[in-house]
Amino acid sequence: MRILIVEDDSRLLTQLDTLLQTNGYSVDLADDGAKALFLLSEHPYDLAIIDIGLPVMDGFEVIQKARKNSVTCPILILTARDRWQEKVEGLDAGADDYLTKPFQNEELLARVKALIRRSAGQANPTIELGPISLNTLSEQVSVSGQDIELTAYEYKVFEYLLLNPKKVVSKTELTEHIYDQDFDLDSNVIEVFVGRLRKKLDPEGKINPIETMRGRGYRISREFQV
């Protein structure tokens, strides 16, 4: 999952970057409102975390303009402003959630996971398709009750496909969602990850969990789509 963090406090920006990357997210950073709006308009983020008191353009304006530009990713406001009027203003501008500083890392991570799940139509932390089960909290994948050990990037690829079960996902889209902004989008590493996932999830070739759509990308097998 790819997240944009918008924060003008350099120390907090670094803290958030480290926290989210340590927990398996790809992260892009912006320290003012204009940069944030540009990045939101150019890249398909899974979530944006936005401070309100930003230079150039405040967070409320960023959110309003992003929504007018058809940016649909979930937005979490993270700010020291705790008056209820400002919470209402933020939510009315188009934010999905509001967390005040100081905050606990565990609460921030829980809200991030919940917002990403809900945006994909998955309120439950456990995603089940046929014999496949993926728990977004423990980041554990199982097939027919048997736990499967995946690398961090294998998990990211599979989670994104499961969160978009009826969609054909291109290699470029997968790369944009699991890597940081400056990664080479022409890399064929996604093919390697998908090949490993097939071997681990379906070593006997019986369930075919991931289909290749020639020239288009990958999707979860129609047999398991709900």
Side-chain angles (χ1 to χ4, degrees):
M1 299 291 109
R2 187 175 180 183
I3 295 176
L4 173 66
I5 305 174
V6 188
E7 171 60 60
D8 65 330
D9 181 329
S10 59
R11 182 178 297 180
L12 180 56
L13 189 64
T14 299
Q15 175 189 330
L16 290 168
D17 184 23
T18 301
L19 173 66
L20 290 169
Q21 290 206 50
T22 300
N23 282 271
Y25 296 100
S26 299
V27 178
D28 291 346
L29 306 174
D31 57 7
D32 69 53
K35 292 177 185 176
L37 186 59
F38 172 77
L39 290 173
L40 284 167
S41 300
E42 292 293 315
H43 302 288
Y45 292 104
D46 297 289
L47 178 80
I49 300 174
I50 301 179
D51 184 24
I52 296 303
L54 298 170
V56 184
M57 183 187 306
D58 72 28
F60 293 138
E61 188 176 356
V62 171
I63 295 168
Q64 289 174 332
K65 289 187 174 181
R67 293 308 191 207
K68 286 182 180 179
N69 291 342
S70 301
V71 173
T72 59
C73 72
I75 294 176
L76 170 64
I77 290 176
L78 185 62
T79 180
R81 303 183 187 182
D82 59 1
R83 294 171 60 245
W84 69 265
Q85 294 93 336
E86 289 169 318
K87 294 181 181 180
V88 170
E89 184 177 357
L91 296 172
D92 284 346
D96 299 276
D97 200 358
Y98 197 109
L99 183 61
T100 55
K101 307 171 186 175
F103 59 90
Q104 295 296 319
N105 289 345
E106 292 79 6
E107 182 179 5
L108 175 66
L109 291 171
R111 287 176 184 251
V112 164
K113 291 178 180 179
L115 285 170
I116 291 174
R117 286 199 312 270
R118 290 169 189 161
S119 71
Q122 295 284 346
N124 193 313
T126 299
I127 304 170
E128 295 184 348
L129 290 176
I132 301 169
S133 176
L134 180 147
N135 188 298
T136 60
L137 297 181
S138 64
E139 298 189 351
Q140 181 61 56
V141 175
S142 63
V143 178
S144 300
Q146 297 296 313
D147 289 344
I148 306 297
E149 293 298 324
L150 302 180
T151 67
Y153 282 112
E154 289 167 357
Y155 174 86
K156 289 180 180 182
V157 169
F158 193 49
E159 179 187 48
Y160 191 75
L161 290 172
L162 281 182
L163 287 171
N164 297 274
K166 298 181 181 180
K167 179 180 180 181
V168 177
V169 182
S170 69
K171 289 193 292 183
T172 297
E173 182 176 347
L174 278 168
T175 303
E176 288 176 339
H177 282 269
I178 70 171
Y179 285 108
D180 296 331
Q181 187 176 349
D182 57 354
F183 189 80
D184 178 9
L185 297 183
D186 294 327
S187 173
N188 289 321
V189 71
I190 297 297
E191 294 180 11
V192 175
F193 291 146
V194 171
R196 291 177 182 172
L197 282 167
R198 286 173 171 149
K199 290 179 181 179
K200 291 183 178 183
L201 299 171
D202 186 27
E204 298 180 3
K206 292 181 178 180
I207 61 176
N208 185 31
I210 303 172
E211 295 180 341
T212 297
M213 310 302 292
R214 190 175 299 276
R216 298 168 62 196
Y218 306 99
R219 73 177 177 196
I220 294 299
S221 174
R222 284 184 179 274
E223 180 180 351
F224 303 129
Q225 293 180 17
V226 295

